Amino acid sequence: MRMPRRGLVIQARTRWLLVGLALLFSLVLLMYLLECAPQTDGNGSLPGVVGESMGKEYYQALLQEQEEHYQNRATSLKRQIAQLKQELQEMSDKLKSLQEKKTPKVNGVNYQGTKEQTSNDLLEFLHSQIDKAEVSVGAKVPSEYGVIPFESFTSMKVFQLEMGLTRHPEEKPVRKDKRDELVEVIEAGLEVINNPDEEDGQDEDGVGDRQLYSENDFIEGYYRTERDKGTQYELFYKKMDGMEYRHVTLFRPFGPLMKVKSETVDISRSIINIIVPLAGRTEAFAQFMQNFRDVCIHQDKRVHLTVVYFGQDGQSEVKNILESVARETDFHNYTLVSLYEEFNRGRGLDMGARAWEKGEVLMFFCDVDVYFTAEFLNSCRLNAEPGKKVFYPVVFSLYNPAIVYANQDIPPPVEQQLVHKKDSGFWRDFGFGMTCQYRTDFLTVGGFDLEVKGWGGEDVHLYRKYLHGELMVVRTPVPGLFHLWHEKHCADELPPEQYRMCIQSKAMNEASHSHLGMLVFRDEIEAHLRKQAYRTNSEPLG
């Protein structure tokens, strides 16, 4: 077998290195012998014998000292090596433990074995997601309500049924991750077209004549998400001067469920400081306190109430209501803060937060028109965590009961109005006033913008502060939080933006789309009913 040239070079260099070491050793030995040789001067041999004896003892002692030094050094190195081996074993055990914890689970079973086995299992699972999704064949659904609609998009805009907070049926993607997702999908479709596989059915002989597509050739796309399977994309491309479309279907399958964490949360000692800013509206406050008595005093029993009252008018009535509840229920965990100035919601909540002097506490910023349940208070505790997350629940806002229950003599009691139906109310996703957050987080972020005057705006500023920070914002509709309808007045003194927000809120608070339509066409409906009654009365009796 012929050795490669590189091996010959290494062998030659090794041979010369050994020769050099041998010469160096010979030179050192020669110097050592010369140094140890007896020095004679020809006048006698006795001094030479004595010198030779002393020279041997000296070098023996020197060699013994060097030997002890190297033995000590070797012992030290052995001890360090043993320590390093022990630390290496500990690190290996920790790494193995972490890998076991990070091993993905599918249906509660760990993926184990080689990397190749794990990859094959995961790939098989992802393909099964495609097979189960409604991609190649249709799925039987019980009614039109079971259909999962697509949303369409171009390279610039998304056309959406779920319009969200913006209420825009057409818009540019606001979130960067959504923009990046659609750009990635368009580019992936181009990759499929420009670099086809054999299964795509394109003739390899025509590779040189094939047209390459670019982002400018993307016409439109559709996507929809099946929550337990993945997202399907239908993409269409076309050259400017052609009539032939290229259609690409992509699917982003969801992976298996993976455990992130499992923990026990003890909320038995979590006190909530409910802060309510108020000016006038004593009847609404009396109704609020009735709910507070039922939920907080009789059921939850872990709350403190802080009422920040603006002005002089009505203050005595509010004080009497609080004292009456305290006498009847033996509840004394409340604070009444009086401010003799113009009402400012942000200022009131800020003063309520700073009035607490017992350290850290979970706060619930509330309004007098809000009805909540004991279950909501627990949701408040579970979704807010100091230094980590704040809770911004979406309130279900009830419509004007005089319109909702127009076919009844009088509206039913408030407790019977608390239902989630499209004609009874709506999710107030543009409101950020009801929130649960810890006092330290509120103070750290800087609290409310106290320069905001009048209605609205202060809650949005605080919400944006958290969005721009590092705390997680938990935003979700909750079933146990209702905003009761009340007459809303938009002051002429409000700046244009605040006045527009006030009018928008007033319009959305009044009634559902169908009920408002019935009001708009009431005269037409009544005329129709009169005609029907006239025709019925005009028909000859049989």
Side-chain angles (χ1 to χ4, degrees), residues 103-111 121-122 125 255-259:
T103 299
K105 290 184 176 182
V106 179
N107 298 327
V109 180
N110 282 330
Y111 270 130
D121 291 342
L122 185 57
F125 174 83
L257 291 175
M258 297 179 64
K259 182 183 75 174

Side-chain angles (χ1 to χ4, degrees), residues 86-345:
Q86 183 179 358
E87 292 178 3
L88 181 61
Q89 183 63 39
E90 291 175 356
M91 292 297 293
S92 177
D93 293 341
K94 288 181 180 179
L95 181 60
K96 183 178 180 180
S97 176
L98 287 174
Q99 288 176 340
E100 290 176 353
K101 289 181 179 180
K102 292 184 178 180
T103 299
K105 290 184 176 182
V106 179
N107 298 327
V109 180
N110 282 330
Y111 270 130
Q112 295 180 348
T114 64
K115 291 183 178 180
E116 184 177 354
Q117 289 173 337
T118 302
S119 299
N120 290 338
D121 291 342
L122 185 57
L123 190 61
E124 182 179 350
F125 174 83
L126 296 178
H127 277 295
S128 71
Q129 293 286 76
I130 301 176
D131 295 336
K132 289 185 291 185
E134 190 181 354
V135 177
S136 301
V137 294
K140 294 182 179 180
V141 293
S143 69
E144 65 272 20
Y145 299 104
V147 174
I148 302 176
F150 284 89
E151 293 187 346
S152 62
F153 65 98
T154 65
S155 57
M156 297 297 293
K157 293 182 179 180
V158 174
F159 305 89
Q160 52 201 7
L161 288 176
E162 299 293 335
M163 294 182 287
L165 184 60
T166 64
R167 302 283 188 263
H168 293 160
E170 165 194 298
E171 69 176 5
K172 294 182 179 180
V174 177
R175 289 175 59 105
K176 182 179 183 298
D177 57 351
K178 191 63 182 176
R179 294 196 302 270
D180 292 346
E181 176 200 0
L182 296 180
V183 169
E184 177 193 7
V185 167
I186 294 172
E187 291 177 349
L190 290 172
E191 179 68 20
V192 171
I193 294 174
N194 293 330
N195 298 285
D197 296 329
E198 292 182 2
E199 61 185 27
D200 292 333
Q202 295 198 27
D203 188 2
E204 292 296 330
D205 295 336
V207 172
D209 301 331
R210 187 195 312 138
Q211 287 183 310
L212 294 179
Y213 286 73
S214 67
E215 288 101 350
N216 296 329
D217 300 319
F218 176 70
I219 304 301
E220 64 179 354
Y222 309 100
Y223 69 90
R224 66 175 177 182
T225 299
E226 296 184 60
R227 298 196 174 185
D228 61 338
K229 301 177 183 68
T231 303
Q232 173 186 354
Y233 303 90
E234 303 290 340
L235 310 173
F236 296 90
Y237 303 81
K238 184 179 80 70
K239 284 295 183 182
M240 182 73 68
D241 53 351
M243 287 301 296
E244 184 181 76
Y245 284 80
R246 295 302 310 275
H247 175 207
V248 176
T249 299
L250 300 177
F251 192 78
R252 190 191 302 272
F254 292 154
L257 291 175
M258 297 179 64
K259 182 183 75 174
V260 177
K261 67 177 179 180
S262 175
E263 60 183 355
T264 300
V265 182
D266 183 9
I267 60 173
S268 59
R269 299 181 180 179
S270 178
I271 303 296
I272 299 179
N273 183 17
I274 301 176
I275 305 175
V276 181
L278 186 63
R281 309 202 56 208
T282 55
E283 292 184 2
F285 183 69
Q287 185 181 41
F288 173 86
M289 286 305 298
Q290 182 60 47
N291 178 46
F292 183 88
R293 180 202 299 248
D294 296 339
V295 172
C296 300
I297 300 177
H298 294 158
Q299 297 182 51
D300 190 84
K301 302 177 182 179
R302 292 164 291 164
V303 298
H304 184 96
L305 176 63
T306 301
V307 179
V308 183
Y309 195 86
F310 288 81
Q312 187 70 41
D313 295 340
Q315 185 180 110
S316 59
E317 288 90 334
V318 169
K319 186 176 181 181
N320 290 336
I321 293 172
L322 289 171
E323 292 175 351
S324 175
V325 172
R327 285 193 305 270
E328 296 172 5
T329 62
D330 196 28
F331 177 82
H332 301 283
N333 295 329
Y334 71 88
T335 303
L336 177 60
V337 179
S338 299
L339 296 178
Y340 300 100
E341 56 190 69
E342 183 182 359
F343 178 79
N344 183 311
R345 185 176 185 274

